[in-house]
Amino acid sequence: MIINVFDQQESLKISLDQLKPLVEQVLREEERQCDEVSLYFVDTPTICDLHLQFFNDGSSTDCISFPMDDEDEDAPYCILGEVFVCPETALNYARSHHLDPYEETTLYIVHGLLHLMGYDDIEEEDLVHMRQAEERHMKQLKALGLCLTERP
């Protein structure tokens, strides 16, 4: 599987070598196959611009997902989609709630990947399923030592 990573922000150091096993574990746990997925780590102005352009809301947000190919066994190549994550949002939230910003960023990645795989969080019932999946994945990632961590 190809995992494209674009780090276009400076708020939080992201160790690129930690991302592949993290993404692979989430997809494996969801029993989802794909050939390619892209992760973008962006700053607050960029996430606000994307939020405005695609959701008519210029406020900051944690992540935005753009699903691409549906799961089709006959397709020769499957691009799961793109996830845009704002580590600055994670950093600010983590500081104000006394959390680890790397763990918070990991949660945003998981959240974005779940959106790519069809999870939603608009309706209350869907939100409950999303939160349960997030919790399950975060617990598993922590147990396996696959959450993002600060690396020198």
Side-chain angles (χ1 to χ4, degrees):
M1 172 180 22
I2 297 170
I3 301 171
N4 301 305
V5 178
F6 305 92
D7 189 2
Q8 305 166 337
Q9 55 83 45
E10 297 179 0
S11 296
L12 199 65
K13 279 189 167 189
I14 303 293
S15 176
L16 304 182
D17 63 325
Q18 293 179 353
L19 293 170
K20 184 174 173 79
L22 187 161
V23 171
E24 288 174 340
Q25 176 59 36
V26 172
L27 296 179
R28 186 171 33 254
E29 183 74 19
E30 288 293 321
E31 299 179 354
R32 183 65 187 263
Q33 298 286 324
C34 76
D35 297 294
E36 187 174 345
V37 64
S38 296
L39 300 173
Y40 295 81
F41 296 93
V42 299
D43 59 16
T44 299
T46 302
I47 203 81
C48 289
D49 288 345
L50 289 167
H51 205 199
L52 178 62
Q53 182 179 355
F54 293 97
F55 298 95
N56 203 28
D57 179 351
S59 66
S60 182
T61 190
D62 51 5
C63 71
I64 297 176
S65 299
F66 297 101
M68 290 192 181
D69 295 337
D70 290 328
E71 194 169 24
D72 181 356
E73 293 177 15
D74 297 329
Y77 196 85
C78 176
I79 300 174
L80 189 60
E82 301 175 325
V83 177
F84 290 79
V85 175
C86 185
E88 187 174 357
T89 300
L91 189 60
N92 292 336
Y93 184 85
R95 281 182 183 150
S96 66
H97 292 82
H98 308 289
L99 300 171
D100 179 337
Y102 287 94
E103 190 173 310
E104 190 68 16
T105 301
T106 301
L107 175 60
Y108 296 175
I109 295 166
V110 168
H111 183 85
L113 290 170
L114 290 172
H115 273 305
L116 294 184
M117 293 182 280
Y119 284 81
D120 204 352
D121 55 7
I122 302 298
E123 301 297 325
E124 184 64 32
E125 184 177 331
D126 294 333
L127 178 61
V128 168
H129 286 85
M130 172 70 88
R131 294 294 181 250
Q132 289 171 341
E134 288 172 350
E135 185 177 328
R136 182 178 74 250
H137 285 290
M138 290 300 293
K139 189 178 292 187
Q140 178 104 31
L141 291 169
K142 286 177 193 176
L144 295 171
L146 294 177
C147 285
L148 294 180
T149 58
E150 186 173 7
R151 293 263 173 106

